[in-house]
Amino acid sequence: MNTTFANQVEFTITRNTQPLPEEKRNAILQNPGFGKHFTDHMATIDWTREQGWHDARIVPYGPLQLDPASSVLHYAQEIFEGLKAYRHADGSIWTFRPEANAQRFQLSARRLAMPELPVELFIESLKQLISIDQAWVPSAPETSAYIRPFMIANESFLGVRPAERAAYHVIVSPAGSYFANGMQPVSIWLSSGLSRAGKGGTGEAKCGGNYAASLLPQTEASANGCSQVLFLDAEEHTYLEELGGMNIFLVRKDGTLLTPKTSGSILKGITRASLLQLAEDMGLKIEERRIALQEWIDGVNSGEITEVFACGTAAVIAPICTLKSKTFTVGNENAPAGEVTVALRKKLTDIQYGREEDTHNWLTRLA
Ligand SMILES: *Cc1c(COP(=O)(O)O)cnc(C)c1O
């Protein structure tokens, strides 16, 4: 909405006078886990209908002050993104396709009736924050710093309409290797009747509300020893959509990659799009279309489907060994990760960590 700002991107910087001492930071970086520890600073940009985007700043990480009537607390006007900072062998720090995240953040903002943050401002916020907190980006193999940009509506008003005030923030959390003990295939649970997103809903927007809707079925998954839930389409409960926070792929024995076509209720993952491109580069065939659950079941049982995996920024690729539900189990729990799964994961992470040439210009240097 306010695009003039993008031409005069200037962040004021207030340094944290009490950053975490180096020994403590190093202890965290030895074993960061995921999403548990946060760096010394955060980025913030405010928006009001009159002023547009203003007051871009880097400030010490800390609690937000919110009026109890803030719209986000009542009507869930909230969107977010997730991307990573990767440290390369020469010490430089890079991120992967940030303009795609910035554009998706705009798409999410439109759907949630929130202001669109200019792409340049989104990327600049990452550069500013990662530069000041670069000591927090770990360097051990397959580690990274997970970057979480988000926007909340914070007008103090209980009336139901789009808020006239919003705040954009970015926080960063060091992340350990997702598969610390090698790539372990996971079991997933078929949601029994609960949906994540319907036609015309917010499924294509990356918003907290979608996650809230996925948590109850996720609980059912955990209770049944599964790490994630698979959602089918909300109308017919027949076609594959995605997991709570990852897209899904099947691999046929002839090497063809199958993935559900995104049609409004599936989030368009950047990992998904990147894997489709890499698969094409590798000469694999691709089918993006509606995929019935039955095709998976029959395919695994007949040997036609040889591999299944989920993908998203956090895990990159997670191999799936079995699909379970109240009435059936398909697949073999002891099956190792498949050949195509392993090759695609290696290809993508080699680019992200600077071990292979970035022929698609996907990397942006942050620090
Ligand atoms: C973020 C997300 C994904 C994965 O997207 P990436 O851009 O690959 O990280 C998939 N599904 C949902 C619901 C998501 O929120």
Side-chain angles (χ1 to χ4, degrees):
M1 300 196 178
N2 182 348
T3 47
T4 54
F5 196 106
N7 305 323
Q8 33 167 355
V9 183
E10 224 169 282
F11 281 72
T12 59
I13 295 176
T14 307
R15 280 190 173 267
N16 191 334
T17 52
Q18 291 174 302
L20 199 72
E22 192 179 341
E23 324 78 77
K24 288 199 175 158
R25 185 181 65 231
N26 288 338
I28 289 172
L29 295 185
Q30 285 299 310
N31 185 17
F34 183 83
K36 288 193 292 194
H37 304 281
F38 298 92
T39 66
D40 295 315
H41 299 86
M42 62 186 191
T44 296
I45 313 176
D46 291 321
W47 179 87
T48 59
R49 180 152 316 273
E50 311 87 73
Q51 279 183 277
W53 291 105
H54 62 277
D55 204 5
R57 57 201 188 272
I58 301 293
V59 294
Y61 182 93
L64 303 176
Q65 269 217 331
L66 278 186
D67 189 287
S70 290
S71 13
V72 61
L73 301 176
H74 304 274
Y75 309 124
Q77 248 191 313
E78 189 269 356
I79 59 171
F80 67 93
E81 269 304 325
L83 64 171
K84 283 173 167 176
Y86 308 90
R87 196 181 283 282
H88 287 188
D90 67 356
S92 59
I93 300 170
W94 301 73
T95 194
F96 184 74
R97 307 188 75 177
E99 57 297 319
N101 293 88
Q103 282 158 6
R104 188 170 66 189
F105 199 58
Q106 292 184 329
L107 179 142
S108 302
R110 280 199 290 282
R111 182 62 185 84
L112 277 276
M114 299 182 86
E116 288 174 43
L117 184 74
V119 170
E120 304 81 352
L121 209 42
F122 180 97
I123 294 174
E124 185 62 19
S125 70
L126 311 181
K127 288 185 179 167
Q128 294 281 339
L129 185 54
I130 292 295
S131 298
I132 196 164
D133 279 338
Q134 51 185 283
W136 281 93
V137 181
S139 52
E142 307 293 309
T143 62
S144 60
Y146 183 78
I147 308 174
R148 167 55 57 85
F150 64 104
M151 194 199 315
I152 56 174
N154 62 1
E155 182 181 356
S156 313
F157 176 56
L158 292 182
V160 181
R161 59 151 170 73
E164 312 229 311
R165 300 180 70 91
Y168 165 75
H169 301 285
V170 190
I171 56 176
V172 177
S173 174
S177 165
Y178 198 87
F179 293 107
N181 305 314
M183 236 208 286
Q184 299 285 341
V186 297
S187 294
I188 61 171
W189 179 255
L190 178 65
S191 172
S192 45
L194 297 179
S195 300
R196 173 189 165 271
K199 205 171 202 157
T202 56
E204 206 175 62
K206 208 167 173 76
C207 63
N210 291 340
Y211 279 71
S214 76
L215 297 179
L216 181 60
Q218 176 66 45
T219 308
E220 194 182 45
S222 307
N224 286 281
C226 295
S227 61
Q228 296 255 355
V229 200
L230 170 71
F231 291 100
L232 300 178
D233 73 288
E235 283 137 64
E236 299 177 59
H237 280 278
T238 300
Y239 300 100
L240 308 182
E241 294 245 299
E242 61 171 316
L243 309 188
M246 296 173 96
N247 295 116
I248 191 154
F249 279 84
L250 311 182
V251 184
R252 242 188 350 234
K253 70 170 181 239
D254 66 358
T256 304
L257 229 50
L258 313 180
T259 194
K261 196 174 173 63
T262 57
S263 54
S265 54
I266 296 178
L267 191 112
K268 291 181 177 167
I270 294 159
T271 316
R272 174 188 182 279
S274 306
L275 292 174
L276 287 173
Q277 179 64 58
L278 294 178
E280 194 185 309
D281 297 351
M282 288 158 78
L284 298 175
K285 275 189 256 130
I286 291 160
E287 290 178 19
E288 260 186 282
R289 58 170 168 84
R290 287 215 299 191
I291 301 169
L293 171 65
Q294 200 60 43
E295 183 174 345
W296 176 345
I297 298 171
D298 293 345
V300 169
N301 289 335
S302 72
E304 185 67 19
I305 301 291
T306 49
E307 303 176 35
V308 184
F309 64 83
C311 68
T313 295
V316 189
I317 283 183
I320 294 170
C321 52
T322 54
L323 172 65
K324 297 181 183 179
S325 78
K326 284 188 173 146
T327 52
F328 66 80
T329 295
V330 248
N332 170 4
E333 268 188 37
N334 301 315
E339 218 176 289
V340 176
T341 304
V342 171
L344 281 171
R345 189 174 201 281
K346 178 170 188 313
K347 187 102 186 153
L348 184 53
T349 54
D350 280 351
I351 295 171
Q352 290 170 332
Y353 285 94
R355 296 184 294 247
E356 189 173 314
E357 200 191 338
D358 173 25
T359 53
H360 294 287
N361 271 316
W362 281 339
L363 300 186
T364 292
R365 186 163 182 179
L366 294 177

